[in-house]
Amino acid sequence: MKLAAALLAVLPALQGSAGSADGGERIFREGVSPRGTPLVATVGAGDAVPAALLPCVNCHGPDGRGRREGGVRPADISPAALLRPLRDERRQRPAYDAARLRRAITMGLDAGGQPLDAAMPRYALSLADADDLLAYLARLDQRHEAGVAPDRLRIGVRGAALVAPTQEIYGRRIELVSLSGPPARSDDLLLLIDAGADGSDSLVAAAEEDLPAIVFAADTTDPGRSGFVITAAPATQQRALDELAASVPAPQVVRDCSEAAVSTTARTLLLTGRVAAACDLTRMAWPAGQSLRVVLPAPPEATLRQAVAEQVLQLVAELLRQAGREVSRAALVARLQTVREPSLPPLPPLHWSPTRHHGLDHVWVLRLDDREGRLQRAPGWMAVPEAK
């Protein structure tokens, strides 16, 4: 019988009672119970600490096969390894079943009843949490990281013509996949980069697949857990209008096209780019002497978006190097949430965090020049203070 068929036949022995593999994944990757109860771990004779500080994935890796760290080689806990007896110069033990595996995790004893390495934490788990974790471990051999292959990392690109870096990252090359629209399926992509003028639909499609996505601009207040927008949020653009209104003569903020019939006493009309696009500015008649200011998330030139996309790809490559060999979507999102003021010319400093997924706190301001009949920068980039 082939190994794969044999594993499928005996996996229930590892899983034990019915548990949720999705819940077990949270415990394995984050050290967090899906039920919201605190989980603790103890190493050796030390004090108990939150399990979130010592999640299984840190030592055993996303595939469970273990990676050497600090002179310690964690055990291979993939189903193929757990379901066969171990006999080598260091240790002998019988095969694991569900009860023995639960004992190893909670009490630190192997399948033969011998103490595990002192570096192996003991986790205090409820029966339900233990069942979830075992359900996840029983399927480790069947799982793979989306967009990650032994020899390549696949990144989708929309709205720009990019060239993949030539330098490999831990033996993997970056493979770029050109997209003409939002990805219909993303299970073969690690990341999506959208350099279009509005990447809102890419964010929606990526959220459905839990795909990390970096978009240049999006008219949305919430990019989602794994969505990252380079330019300022709509609320930041509105605050910019308020800042401008305090510094120009007789202002009127035009918030929608129904306000196109402006007051004859207004001397300065202020609009966001979204409102300006919805209104026909060529038909907005206003008395002589009035001026127009438009707040945009960034300069509208496609060449700028192309240049920024090239910088973003370089940034992503560096984040992947920092993430290490065991790269995943979750690891990449965690890295993106630490980005602060990288060099991404020609943009102002960029800052993402776990609670902030719009990168810029600057907007681009244009003024309509009546004499030449065209919009021109005035003043161009404008810093917008955070909301109080």
Side-chain angles (χ1 to χ4, degrees):
M1 182 183 288
K2 293 183 178 180
L3 177 60
L7 285 177
L8 290 176
V10 297
L11 279 180
L14 281 186
Q15 183 170 341
S17 301
S20 165
D22 289 339
E25 184 173 12
R26 287 205 68 190
I27 298 172
F28 183 86
R29 290 183 174 276
E30 304 173 34
V32 175
S33 168
R35 294 161 185 83
T37 54
L39 298 184
V40 297
T42 305
V43 179
D47 296 330
V49 299
L53 300 177
L54 299 169
C56 310
V57 72
N58 278 11
C59 294
H60 294 287
D63 59 2
R65 301 187 187 280
R67 59 186 182 191
R68 186 174 297 278
E69 189 169 331
V72 176
R73 175 71 183 189
D76 183 347
I77 60 169
S78 63
L82 295 175
L83 288 169
R84 62 173 177 254
L86 175 65
R87 296 182 179 87
D88 61 23
E89 66 278 4
R90 297 178 304 164
R91 178 184 293 273
Q92 295 186 16
R93 61 153 178 81
Y96 278 96
D97 58 17
R100 289 167 173 168
L101 186 54
R102 187 181 289 110
R103 182 180 66 178
I105 295 168
T106 59
M107 301 177 62
L109 300 176
D110 72 9
Q114 299 300 311
L116 294 170
D117 190 285
M120 169 65 187
R122 301 182 302 279
Y123 296 91
L125 301 178
S126 68
L127 181 59
D129 284 338
D131 283 344
D132 285 355
L133 181 55
L134 264 60
Y136 180 72
L137 294 178
R139 288 163 172 74
L140 274 180
D141 281 343
Q142 304 171 34
R143 304 179 71 91
H144 72 281
E145 293 294 345
V148 179
D151 61 345
R152 66 187 184 278
L153 304 168
R154 289 170 59 86
I155 295 176
V157 179
R158 183 185 180 195
L162 302 182
V163 177
T166 57
Q167 185 177 1
E168 291 185 345
I169 301 173
Y170 293 97
R172 299 183 178 107
R173 61 184 176 85
I174 290 181
E175 178 183 341
L176 301 181
V177 181
S178 180
L179 302 173
S180 58
R185 286 186 57 83
S186 64
D187 52 1
D188 64 342
L189 296 179
L190 174 63
L191 171 74
L192 170 65
I193 298 174
D194 187 339
D198 185 358
S200 299
D201 55 350
S202 286
L203 289 178
V204 172
E208 292 176 351
E209 301 278 343
D210 204 21
L211 168 68
I214 302 174
V215 306
F216 181 79
D219 190 20
T220 178
T221 58
D222 182 12
R225 186 176 66 87
S226 56
F228 295 84
V229 183
I230 293 170
T231 49
T236 304
Q237 298 172 45
Q238 289 293 339
R239 290 202 307 275
L241 292 183
D242 296 335
E243 290 288 320
L244 286 171
S247 63
V248 297
Q252 179 180 354
V253 176
V254 181
R255 301 194 184 276
D256 58 63
C257 294
S258 64
E259 298 184 32
V262 300
S263 168
T264 56
T265 60
R267 294 181 55 193
T268 309
L269 303 184
L270 304 170
L271 307 86
T272 63
R274 180 182 61 81
V275 173
C279 301
D280 186 350
L281 298 183
T282 62
R283 299 193 179 192
M284 287 181 63
W286 55 84
Q290 287 184 326
S291 64
L292 181 72
R293 303 285 178 92
V294 179
V295 170
L296 300 173
E301 293 83 8
T303 53
L304 178 135
R305 298 197 300 273
Q306 169 73 28
V308 170
E310 293 169 356
Q311 296 284 338
V312 166
L313 182 58
Q314 294 181 28
L315 170 64
V316 167
E318 178 56 32
L319 294 178
L320 290 172
R321 292 187 187 95
Q322 295 174 11
R325 185 178 300 278
E326 307 297 346
V327 67
S328 65
R329 288 180 174 181
L332 183 54
V333 167
R335 291 285 175 178
L336 287 169
Q337 290 180 154
T338 67
V339 168
R340 188 176 183 90
E341 300 187 3
S343 176
L344 286 181
L347 296 183
L350 182 75
H351 172 206
W352 288 319
S353 75
T355 58
R356 169 182 164 137
H357 282 206
H358 282 85
L360 298 188
D361 55 9
H362 286 64
V363 297
W364 184 261
V365 182
L366 296 177
R367 181 187 68 222
L368 181 64
D369 186 337
D370 291 331
R371 290 172 296 180
E372 298 185 19
R374 62 184 179 87
L375 290 167
Q376 59 181 264
R377 56 183 292 177
W381 286 115
M382 168 186 167
V384 183
E386 293 187 6
K388 297 181 179 179

